[in-house]
Amino acid sequence: MSTRAERLAQPLMTDVVTATAEKYGVCIRPFTMEVGDLDTGELKYIPIPCGTTIESACGPCARKARALRMTQCREGWHLDEEPAIDKTPPTRDHTELMTYRADLVAAYRDSEEEDLREEIHSVDEELRALGVRGRLPSVDAPIKRAPQRSTKRRQEAPNLPRRKVERRTVGREYAGGFRPSMFVTLTCDTYGPVRNDGTPINPDRYDYRRAARDAIHFASLVDRWWQNLRRVVGWDVQYFATIEPQRRIAPHLHAALRGSIPHEVLRQVTAATYLQVWWPPHDELVYRDRLPVWDNGHFVDPDTRRPLMPWAEAIDQVPQPAHVATFGTQVHSKGILGGSDQAGRHIGYLTKYSVILLLHTGWHDRFPPPPRRRAYASGHRA
Ligand SMILES: [Zn+2]
């Protein structure tokens, strides 16, 4: 007989399974996918790796993902010739089927007849069989109309020179055959002085509100920055980037950028880039304890039962942006040569595990990110 303490000290079966999976480098928390055999009708369950990028969630998958990211980063950063993408142009079969599908969808939206729906699905299967990739528009999706916006809402970068963007992603070669690429870091603005541990020195004067809003919209601001940069330099700049929190929690961007751009240009683009957020006012918390309730297709006030204004309508009535996000003035950039120790070190910064808030994987042209497997998993976690 063993004592309770001895029994408690023994490893749990799940721990043993996890450790064994770790040892052999396979996923420790796979999804199960239900697969039907079309001939026999038999159902099978196949384990699919979770594919996480976070090491604490699944070490083997995170290490695999990191190795892939490092390869993507290294191979894309210092390319010296344009990556070629050989896409087969659509054939007549493709376009005819797609036209037929569009007619079916229109008919289905009018009549909602189940037969039409099935026919659409069989057309989808045919298109897939013909090798068409990507998502087909859903049969049931409502047709979205773009909201009418006045022209004053268009976001421009007025103080920047503008060139037509060439179809080029590779940087120029310099005398002596050098073709450096860049490592760039952008930060958020300052919201008040902070201590070494990142906490505000004067919490009453620290602009928490702006810090939070800048963080929420940082990714969109970054998108705007790339657009502006491409217009200014006149070629289709490609990058591999991560957004991480600094010690003061504000996000910042590290990017490997293909080709080289003068620091002064990067600084000007950063200073001129801003993002207007056309959200309805959201300074005040309106519902604290009694929340709106869902009733007959819309949210209503819990007391008056009056419908709340829908988002799209509220946005149309906004007189001015609720927030304008900008970068901080500090811009770090340096030129880095392919294959150097420095390049390896910076690829390391870009492919850390745990701190990444958002990853812009790949170079949009040559290394597409791996497919998101989760979408296909019909089962649940084993
Ligand atoms: Zn895993």
Side-chain angles (χ1 to χ4, degrees):
M1 282 294 277
S2 55
T3 66
R4 190 176 137 75
E6 277 166 0
R7 282 198 304 278
L8 278 178
Q10 282 165 358
L12 275 174
M13 190 56 84
T14 49
D15 295 338
V16 176
V17 171
T18 304
T20 311
E22 287 261 11
K23 184 179 163 200
Y24 290 100
V26 297
C27 183
I28 62 170
R29 43 161 217 173
F31 291 91
T32 48
M33 187 167 79
E34 205 179 73
V35 177
D37 187 316
L38 287 177
D39 296 325
T40 64
E42 188 194 352
L43 280 181
K44 281 184 208 149
Y45 294 91
I46 295 178
I48 304 286
C50 73
T52 184
T53 55
I54 299 166
E55 200 184 21
S56 59
C58 175
C61 283
R63 281 191 285 277
K64 239 178 252 169
R66 180 164 187 254
L68 172 67
R69 289 205 304 271
M70 290 177 85
T71 308
Q72 289 175 328
C73 189
R74 186 178 304 114
E75 308 232 330
W77 198 358
H78 292 89
L79 279 190
D80 52 11
E81 52 191 68
E82 290 297 340
I85 313 166
D86 299 322
K87 260 196 220 152
T88 328
T91 64
R92 235 184 89 190
D93 282 354
H94 290 143
T95 53
E96 275 174 9
L97 262 177
M98 197 58 97
T99 312
Y100 179 47
R101 185 187 194 274
D103 291 343
L104 286 172
V105 170
Y108 174 75
R109 285 197 174 131
D110 283 343
S111 66
E112 302 212 341
E113 264 177 56
E114 217 26 55
D115 288 359
L116 287 171
R117 211 189 147 85
E118 269 167 37
E119 179 65 10
I120 293 167
H121 283 306
S122 75
V123 172
D124 290 356
E125 271 168 35
E126 248 180 281
L127 281 165
R128 296 259 175 257
L130 286 172
V132 177
R133 299 176 307 147
R135 236 173 55 189
L136 289 157
S138 159
V139 176
D140 300 306
I143 303 159
K144 272 196 201 138
R145 218 166 280 131
Q148 294 288 315
R149 291 279 163 82
S150 73
T151 47
K152 70 168 195 234
R153 296 191 177 191
R154 205 166 289 150
Q155 313 225 19
E156 301 285 350
N159 303 322
L160 293 171
R162 206 176 242 243
R163 277 177 214 122
K164 203 172 165 301
V165 178
E166 289 170 37
R167 292 176 58 85
R168 165 165 80 85
T169 75
V170 172
R172 294 203 187 284
E173 189 178 303
Y174 289 82
F178 294 116
R179 198 191 295 269
S181 280
M182 309 210 67
F183 189 83
V184 177
T185 300
L186 301 176
T187 57
C188 280
D189 212 345
T190 171
Y191 310 107
V194 292
R195 297 193 191 88
N196 278 343
D197 65 357
T199 56
I201 289 173
N202 188 344
D204 293 334
R205 304 259 290 279
Y206 192 77
D207 197 345
Y208 287 101
R209 186 163 290 206
R210 199 158 65 86
R213 290 184 177 170
D214 277 357
I216 289 170
H217 300 291
F218 192 72
S220 307
L221 181 66
V222 166
D223 285 344
R224 186 113 269 140
W225 190 82
W226 291 112
Q227 288 167 21
N228 288 342
L229 182 69
R230 285 174 182 149
R231 282 184 196 147
V232 170
V233 298
W235 46 281
D236 187 12
V237 182
Q238 297 283 299
Y239 62 96
F240 182 104
T242 58
I243 295 177
E244 296 176 1
Q246 286 174 295
R247 195 171 297 145
R248 57 175 183 140
I249 315 196
H252 67 168
L253 175 94
H254 290 307
L257 175 162
R258 184 185 304 147
S260 101
I261 294 167
H263 181 82
E264 186 50 25
V265 172
L266 296 171
R267 197 197 59 73
Q268 280 176 351
V269 170
T270 308
T273 296
Y274 62 94
L275 176 81
Q276 294 179 330
V277 180
W278 290 92
W279 281 13
H282 49 292
D283 294 328
E284 254 177 83
L285 195 56
V286 180
Y287 294 98
R288 196 175 293 269
D289 304 315
R290 294 182 34 75
L291 297 179
V293 285
W294 186 251
D295 181 30
N296 240 335
H298 35 239
F299 278 106
V300 299
D301 184 284
D303 299 316
T304 66
R305 311 298 293 186
R306 273 216 209 105
L308 304 185
M309 186 184 285
W311 179 263
E313 215 172 291
I315 281 185
D316 276 346
Q317 299 181 9
V318 171
Q320 60 195 42
H323 181 65
V324 178
T326 52
F327 289 106
T329 49
Q330 287 198 15
V331 181
H332 292 284
S333 73
K334 54 181 144 183
I336 289 183
L337 285 172
S340 61
D341 287 353
Q342 221 187 5
R345 227 173 19 251
H346 285 83
I347 289 166
Y349 299 154
L350 285 167
T351 53
K352 282 181 282 192
Y353 297 117
S354 52
V355 288
I356 293 167
L357 296 175
L358 190 81
L359 176 78
H360 291 259
T361 307
W363 301 92
H364 309 315
D365 44 22
R366 187 170 174 181
F367 301 99
R372 295 188 50 175
R373 296 192 183 97
R374 210 153 295 187
Y376 306 110
S378 67
H380 36 80
R381 194 155 272 166

